[in-house]
């Protein structure tokens, strides 16, 4: 899988890395955590406690009250939020979204402070560790953390041939990474960004692979031979 000629498109990878260092751009189907504070960060959304009081009077459990609300960005890039209703956020960075919502919530509160986070950023790991989806726990997550979260790379994977695939799959940028040496790790761009694909090439076991490929043929021949022996034995008897 994902074979390449040489060590890949490093200029494109560096450009992608520079983009990754900036704020994440919100996309359709993202889940957002939006926190609104008043008095420049002193009090959170619902400063009078009316929502929590209503929930409490309705018998809602404490863990449900403490659960973080998640707001889905629809396919048209619009998210529905309390009080401000529908807001177009697709294509905006998190900082731009914070500024936009700060202006909108100023209609209701004084000295508004907004923090927006994306809750469903993830990295896909394929190959030796198996197919796994790793949630991004922070914006500075690197390849080593991703591999550790996927269970690490044991003797079934080639740590000298790891591919970091980024961008549009029709024309992706791919970096071949060698983690078998400190020098190889030092040369690599190890920062990851949302929706990256990490592929760890498995160690090939030629004999076992060939055996698995020919096993159906062996099974068929064995079945035919067994049937022939049974029929011959019946005829002779």
């Amino acid at each position: 899988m994902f074979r390449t000629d040489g060590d890949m498109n490093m200029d494109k990878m560096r450009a992608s890395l520079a983009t990754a260092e900036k704020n994440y751009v919100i996309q359709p189907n993202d889940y957002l955590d939006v926190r609104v504070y008043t008095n420049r960060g002193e009090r959170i959304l619902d400063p009078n406690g009316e929502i929590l009081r209503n929930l409490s009077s309705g018998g809602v459990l404490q863990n449900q009250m403490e659960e973080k609300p998640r707001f889905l960005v629809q396919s048209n890039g619009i998210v529905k939020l309390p009080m401000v209703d529908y807001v177009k956020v697709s294509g905006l960075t998190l900082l731009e979204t914070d500024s936009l919502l700060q202006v909108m919530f100023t209609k209701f509160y004084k000295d508004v402070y907004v923090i927006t986070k994306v809750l469903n950023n993830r990295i896909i790991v394929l190959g030796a560790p198996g197919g796994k989806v790793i949630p991004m726990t922070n914006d500075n997550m690197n390849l080593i953390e991703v591999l550790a979260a996927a269970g690490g790379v044991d003797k079934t994977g080639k740590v000298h041939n790891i591919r970091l695939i980024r961008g549009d799959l029709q024309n992706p940028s791919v970096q071949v990474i060698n983690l078998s040496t400190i020098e190889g790790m030092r040369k690599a761009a190890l920062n990851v960004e949302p929706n990256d694909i990490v592929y760890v090439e498995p160690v090939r076991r030629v004999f076992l692979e060939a055996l698995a490929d020919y096993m159906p043929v062996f099974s068929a021949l064995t079945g035919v031979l067994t049937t022939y022996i049974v029929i011959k034995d019946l005829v002779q008897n």
Side-chain angles (χ1 to χ4, degrees), residues 73-90:
V73 180
Q74 303 295 330
S75 58
N76 58 3
I78 293 176
V79 62
K80 184 176 182 181
L81 298 173
M83 306 184 74
V84 297
D85 216 3
Y86 295 96
V87 184
K88 175 78 171 181
V89 295
S90 180

Side-chain angles (χ1 to χ4, degrees), residues 19-44:
T19 301
E21 292 172 350
K22 300 178 182 178
N23 279 330
Y24 175 74
V25 175
I26 296 174
Q27 304 174 30
N29 300 317
D30 277 343
Y31 278 100
L32 302 182
D33 172 21
V34 180
R35 302 188 183 190
V36 183
Y37 299 83
T38 61
N39 299 329
R40 298 181 181 177
E42 180 182 9
R43 305 175 76 179
I44 197 168

Side-chain angles (χ1 to χ4, degrees), residues 19-33 70-73 92-95 116-125 132-142 146 149 192-197:
T19 301
E21 292 172 350
K22 300 178 182 178
N23 279 330
Y24 175 74
V25 175
I26 296 174
Q27 304 174 30
N29 300 317
D30 277 343
Y31 278 100
L32 302 182
D33 172 21
R70 305 197 311 167
F71 303 101
L72 176 65
V73 180
L92 299 179
T93 64
L94 295 177
L95 183 59
T116 307
K117 294 182 179 180
V118 177
L119 298 177
N120 61 326
N121 287 343
R122 64 264 184 201
I123 306 296
I124 300 172
V125 180
K132 297 184 179 181
V133 178
I134 307 300
M136 289 190 69
T137 55
N138 60 76
D139 294 336
N140 295 321
M141 199 168 183
N142 60 51
V146 171
V192 295
E193 65 175 83
N195 303 317
D196 278 355
I197 299 173

Side-chain angles (χ1 to χ4, degrees), residues 29-170:
N29 300 317
D30 277 343
Y31 278 100
L32 302 182
D33 172 21
V34 180
R35 302 188 183 190
V36 183
Y37 299 83
T38 61
N39 299 329
R40 298 181 181 177
E42 180 182 9
R43 305 175 76 179
I44 197 168
L45 179 63
D46 188 30
N48 297 323
E50 295 177 0
I51 296 177
L52 289 180
R53 279 199 297 270
N54 291 337
L55 289 175
S56 179
S57 63
V60 179
L61 297 177
Q62 183 66 28
N63 61 346
Q64 291 176 314
M65 294 170 60
E66 294 176 353
E67 183 179 352
K68 295 180 180 179
R70 305 197 311 167
F71 303 101
L72 176 65
V73 180
Q74 303 295 330
S75 58
N76 58 3
I78 293 176
V79 62
K80 184 176 182 181
L81 298 173
M83 306 184 74
V84 297
D85 216 3
Y86 295 96
V87 184
K88 175 78 171 181
V89 295
S90 180
L92 299 179
T93 64
L94 295 177
L95 183 59
E96 290 170 339
T97 303
D98 291 344
S99 299
L100 173 62
L101 295 180
Q102 181 174 325
V103 172
M104 300 185 75
F105 277 104
T106 299
K107 300 177 182 178
F108 307 98
Y109 302 113
K110 293 183 179 180
D111 299 325
V112 175
Y113 180 71
V114 179
I115 300 176
T116 307
K117 294 182 179 180
V118 177
L119 298 177
N120 61 326
N121 287 343
R122 64 264 184 201
I123 306 296
I124 300 172
V125 180
L126 302 174
K132 297 184 179 181
V133 178
I134 307 300
M136 289 190 69
T137 55
N138 60 76
D139 294 336
N140 295 321
M141 199 168 183
N142 60 51
L143 178 62
I144 306 299
E145 293 177 275
V146 171
L147 292 176
V153 181
D154 58 18
K155 59 183 179 180
T156 63
K158 297 181 180 179
V159 293
H160 63 277
N161 195 1
I162 297 174
R163 300 171 192 271
L164 180 62
I165 304 166
R166 178 172 299 159
D168 183 0
L169 293 182
Q170 298 299 323

